[in-house]
Amino acid sequence: MKGDRIAADSALTALAPLVWGSTYLVTTELLPSDRPLLAATLRALPAGLILLAIGRTLPRGNWWWRATVLGTLNIGAFLYLLFVAAYHLPGGVAALVMAVQPTVVLVLSALLLKERITLTHAAACALGVAGVGLLALTPGAGLDAVGVGAGLLGAVSMATGVVLTKRWGRPPGVGLLTFTGWQLTAGGALLLPVMLLGEGLPGSVSGRNVAGFAYLGLVGALLAYAVWFRGVERLPALTVSVLGFASPLAAMALGYAFLDETLSPAQLAGALTVVVAVFLALPRTRRGRSIPRTRRGRGPDSPPPPPPSRRKLFSRAS
């Protein structure tokens, strides 16, 4: 049963990067051209405000700065750096640079979460990077120092956000959607002035543009990030990060289905390699015990629950 629960949690969490893999198709087919910061801002901020309105709960105490840090790392800074890398690098090179994220998560998990690094974990990271390389790289791909630097910083930003989300958990009594709304709002608020200064608002917006923005905000952000943060709570940080390799797989499949892109034998081999990497990163149960995970509504550094009352102890003893 516990193994089935782990498999179900992993499959549900993988839906988030699968949805994110559709971003390229939606951007090229539905959104205004050359507006990456606008797309990132409208992807995060409206969804965050919707979740805040539904939850009607604001952070308290030290969760004001924690939510700001997590929103910056997981969403604001990550999306900005991702688009900078995409503009300065071919798509394959950008994807390969960002694929170092699980390796960063592996190191940070050992430092901050005291998780042991195993040979299997290291092999999963190496195979994932190799698989993404086969999926995305082309013979004529070039390098750009700004793009590579932005891609590496973006990978470090998201990796740090994943590990800190795992370490801090959620404050007591705060639902997952509200917690997601805090981060989306913080990240979107960070992106908004950058977008206004760097790109400005478009002169006109078509119905196709509205449909694309709605998809990215409601499905690509609101639903996908809620599923993603649920996975961060329930699965090891490395497993969640390696599941992110499903994003280039989805992008490849959608390009083949809707954009008449062809798949080479190397790309097919890369897809298989990514699948193997994800399988290796899945948590295993030992001696009937499930993997440790953050309790819902509590972080690892939250105080322990109060002991049962004497009446409860007496009733148990009787």
Side-chain angles (χ1 to χ4, degrees), residues 82-107:
L82 174 65
F83 282 121
V84 171
Y87 260 70
H88 285 81
L89 295 172
V93 178
L96 184 59
V97 172
M98 301 296 289
V100 304
Q101 178 187 323
T103 304
V104 180
V105 168
L106 186 65
V107 175

Side-chain angles (χ1 to χ4, degrees), residues 99-155:
V100 304
Q101 178 187 323
T103 304
V104 180
V105 168
L106 186 65
V107 175
L108 292 178
S109 296
L111 294 175
L112 299 179
L113 304 178
K114 308 303 180 184
E115 293 184 0
R116 185 169 59 92
I117 298 178
T118 67
L119 183 61
T120 301
H121 292 159
C125 291
L127 285 174
V129 173
V132 171
L134 291 172
L135 276 172
L137 279 180
T138 58
L143 296 178
D144 176 273
V146 174
V148 171
L152 290 175
L153 287 175

